[in-house]
Amino acid sequence: MAYFKNAKLLENARKPRSPESETVNYLVQIEGVMDAHIHALTMHENRVRRAGTDARKEKEDGQGSDEESIQERATQLELLVRNVHEEIAAQQAGLAIDKDASMIMEKLLTVSTPAQIRQFGASLRGYFVFLSTHRFGSHVLQKYLAIA
């Protein structure tokens, strides 16, 4: 007995090509940099929220980080995310089914712009059925749907 009610639906699902190993290696290498930027920006936002004030008040109290440094980190993260999206173009569906790349793709989606998320969704067109049943692809698809 098949797990799926309509086994033919899964049989006709398009499977993406496996991603290029160089692209997966690239994502693994930049993950730490991306995590560091995300962590620094999140910590800053949390401090501001906890203090119930803006970053200038934090700076006066000696508790906050330098506003210019935070702006620079935000700009660097924005550039990194843009470069990653350019690098992985046309391989998103394949990267979604890779064990290592799929987790990085989820992180990437959380810091992507609405335009980048739309482009990402367009690149998955035709693979939704396969990704929804894949061990790793389903997590990336779920993150995309939650954000979109």
Side-chain angles (χ1 to χ4, degrees), residues 34-44:
M34 190 167 60
D35 285 345
H37 287 305
I38 293 169
H39 178 70
L41 293 170
T42 303
M43 294 299 291
H44 175 72

Coordinates of all heavy atoms in Angstrom, one line a residue, residues 34-44:
M34 N 28.0 34.6 7.4 CA 26.6 35.0 7.5 C 26.1 34.9 8.9 O 25.4 35.8 9.4 CB 25.8 34.1 6.5 CG 24.4 34.6 6.3 SD 23.5 33.8 4.9 CE 23.5 32.1 5.4
D35 N 26.4 33.8 9.6 CA 25.9 33.6 11.0 C 26.5 34.7 11.9 O 25.7 35.2 12.8 CB 26.4 32.3 11.5 CG 25.6 31.1 11.0 OD1 24.5 31.4 10.4 OD2 26.0 30.0 11.1
A36 N 27.7 35.1 11.7 CA 28.3 36.2 12.6 C 27.6 37.5 12.4 O 27.3 38.2 13.3 CB 29.8 36.3 12.2
H37 N 27.3 37.9 11.1 CA 26.5 39.1 10.9 C 25.1 39.0 11.4 O 24.7 40.0 12.1 CB 26.5 39.4 9.4 CG 27.8 39.8 8.8 ND1 28.5 40.9 9.2 CD2 28.5 39.3 7.7 CE1 29.6 41.0 8.5 NE2 29.6 40.1 7.6
I38 N 24.5 37.9 11.2 CA 23.1 37.8 11.7 C 23.1 37.9 13.3 O 22.3 38.6 13.9 CB 22.5 36.5 11.3 CG1 22.3 36.5 9.7 CG2 21.2 36.2 12.0 CD1 21.9 35.2 9.1
H39 N 24.1 37.2 13.9 CA 24.1 37.2 15.4 C 24.4 38.6 15.9 O 23.7 39.0 16.8 CB 25.2 36.3 15.8 CG 25.4 36.2 17.3 ND1 24.5 35.6 18.1 CD2 26.4 36.7 18.1 CE1 24.9 35.8 19.4 NE2 26.1 36.4 19.4
A40 N 25.3 39.3 15.3 CA 25.6 40.7 15.8 C 24.4 41.6 15.6 O 24.1 42.4 16.5 CB 26.8 41.2 15.0
L41 N 23.7 41.5 14.5 CA 22.6 42.4 14.3 C 21.4 42.0 15.2 O 20.7 42.9 15.8 CB 22.1 42.3 12.8 CG 23.1 42.9 11.8 CD1 22.7 42.6 10.4 CD2 23.3 44.4 12.0
T42 N 21.2 40.7 15.5 CA 20.2 40.3 16.4 C 20.5 40.7 17.8 O 19.6 41.2 18.5 CB 20.0 38.7 16.3 OG1 19.8 38.4 15.0 CG2 18.9 38.2 17.2
M43 N 21.7 40.6 18.2 CA 22.1 41.0 19.6 C 21.8 42.5 19.8 O 21.3 43.0 20.8 CB 23.6 40.7 19.9 CG 23.8 39.2 19.9 SD 22.9 38.4 21.2 CE 23.7 39.0 22.7
H44 N 22.2 43.3 18.7 CA 21.9 44.7 18.8 C 20.5 45.0 18.9 O 20.0 45.9 19.8 CB 22.5 45.4 17.6 CG 22.2 46.9 17.5 ND1 22.8 47.8 18.3 CD2 21.4 47.6 16.7 CE1 22.4 49.0 18.0 NE2 21.5 48.9 17.1

